[in-house]
Amino acid sequence: MNIIVSKNKEELAEKAALTVKELVSKNPKATLGLATGSSPLELYAHLASYCREGLSFSEVKSFNLDEYIACPIVEQTYAYFMKENLFSKIDIRLENTHFPNQKDPEAYDAEIEEAGGVDLQILGIGRNGHIGFNEPGTSHDSKTHIIDLTESTRSANARFFRNDIDLVPTQAVSMGLSTIMKARKIVLIANDVTKAEPIAALLMKKKTLDVPATVLLDHPDCDVFLTEDVYEAAKKLVEASHD
């Protein structure tokens, strides 16, 4: 696991985006695993800029990590998020973009395999250490599946639902941890100090079901991009745990 520390969100996004740019430049038919939420927003803005400058995504395939089930606000679905923040800004073909289906979740794993597997998977991280929507306690062997969202996750996402937790979906369909781990390369972004606790768990290199992201400790090619404030806060938590 490579820890890459940046001064701020902008610098982090540029470094992470260059990793994607390098891959697509070398392999125009690359398959990307994509995440939603605030963490990758600046990265996606850089990808849009690269596309305007001539980098083509026309042959790229994408597989999104997750999607809400029974989302009451269309604008908060992850399909809408991706269209607004990335797909409408690059030349990717919409037929090459994919989202998990709640009616047959594990078919998503087969679909990814048929596409040749994910070359690079982008991840954010939840305050409780979830990646995708794999909440604490999720099996490391899990494939794409339906998940009951925890109260902490729903509370964290309420800001996107008029600050009304009753509007936040109670379930989602998500790539499983084993699905994520099959990606050839993983880029995890943590640019919010509220994510310091699960990042501390990664720094301590202790794999546990209580912090799903720690499964990444076993991945052979995982870059963790952190802002300085997240890194310093996580380091303090590590030091405190040794006292």
Side-chain angles (χ1 to χ4, degrees):
M1 179 172 289
N2 305 309
I3 305 295
I4 301 156
V5 181
S6 300
K7 292 180 181 178
N8 51 45
K9 287 184 179 182
E10 291 72 23
E11 182 181 293
L12 182 158
E14 185 173 4
K15 288 179 180 178
L18 284 171
T19 303
V20 181
K21 181 181 182 181
E22 182 180 346
L23 169 66
V24 176
S25 296
K26 290 180 179 177
N27 179 11
K29 295 183 179 181
T31 298
L32 302 177
L34 301 178
T36 53
S38 56
S39 297
L41 276 175
E42 289 89 353
L43 184 158
Y44 292 156
H46 279 287
L47 297 187
S49 177
Y50 298 151
C51 187
R52 290 193 297 272
E53 293 166 0
L55 181 67
S56 179
F57 293 83
S58 63
E59 296 184 272
V60 166
K61 294 185 180 71
S62 73
F63 288 86
N64 260 76
L65 273 171
D66 43 27
E67 180 59 282
Y68 284 124
I69 293 175
C71 183
I73 303 175
V74 171
E75 292 80 7
Q76 295 306 329
T77 63
Y78 288 163
Y80 187 93
F81 175 100
M82 293 306 305
K83 182 179 179 182
E84 288 295 299
N85 293 292
L86 183 62
F87 296 158
S88 64
K89 302 177 188 300
I90 61 175
D91 61 344
I92 195 168
R93 298 172 184 171
L94 289 182
E95 61 265 30
N96 287 342
T97 65
H98 305 84
F99 291 82
N101 187 333
Q102 69 185 76
K103 294 180 181 178
D104 189 4
E106 287 196 17
Y108 203 50
D109 291 69
E111 197 174 356
I112 293 170
E113 287 182 19
E114 286 170 15
V118 170
D119 292 301
L120 187 153
Q121 176 67 58
I122 296 167
L123 297 175
I125 186 169
R127 296 175 187 178
N128 62 3
H130 72 241
I131 50 175
F133 268 128
N134 294 289
E135 300 283 18
T138 302
S139 168
H140 291 161
D141 296 328
S142 57
K143 295 183 178 181
T144 303
H145 61 299
I146 292 173
I147 297 166
D148 293 322
L149 302 181
T150 64
E151 195 74 8
S152 67
T153 294
R154 294 180 68 234
S155 294
N157 288 351
R159 67 188 188 279
F160 301 118
F161 291 85
R162 305 169 192 157
N163 289 313
D164 183 352
I165 195 170
D166 291 334
L167 291 176
V168 182
T170 58
Q171 290 186 313
V173 55
S174 174
M175 283 188 192
L177 294 177
S178 74
T179 314
I180 292 168
M181 288 290 285
K182 288 178 182 176
R184 296 178 184 88
K185 183 176 183 65
I186 290 177
V187 167
L188 184 143
I189 296 169
N191 55 17
D192 182 333
V193 75
T194 62
K195 313 298 178 66
E197 194 168 338
I199 293 301
L202 284 175
L203 296 181
M204 286 188 277
K205 297 183 179 180
K206 293 182 178 178
K207 188 177 168 185
T208 170
L209 288 175
D210 293 334
V211 184
T214 58
V215 72
L216 300 176
L217 291 167
D218 290 339
H219 198 277
D221 189 2
C222 179
D223 290 344
V224 178
F225 290 85
L226 307 175
T227 48
E228 279 184 359
D229 58 346
V230 174
Y231 181 63
E232 293 301 327
K235 272 208 314 182
K236 287 180 182 178
L237 290 172
V238 173
E239 291 164 2
S241 71
H242 294 152
D243 291 342

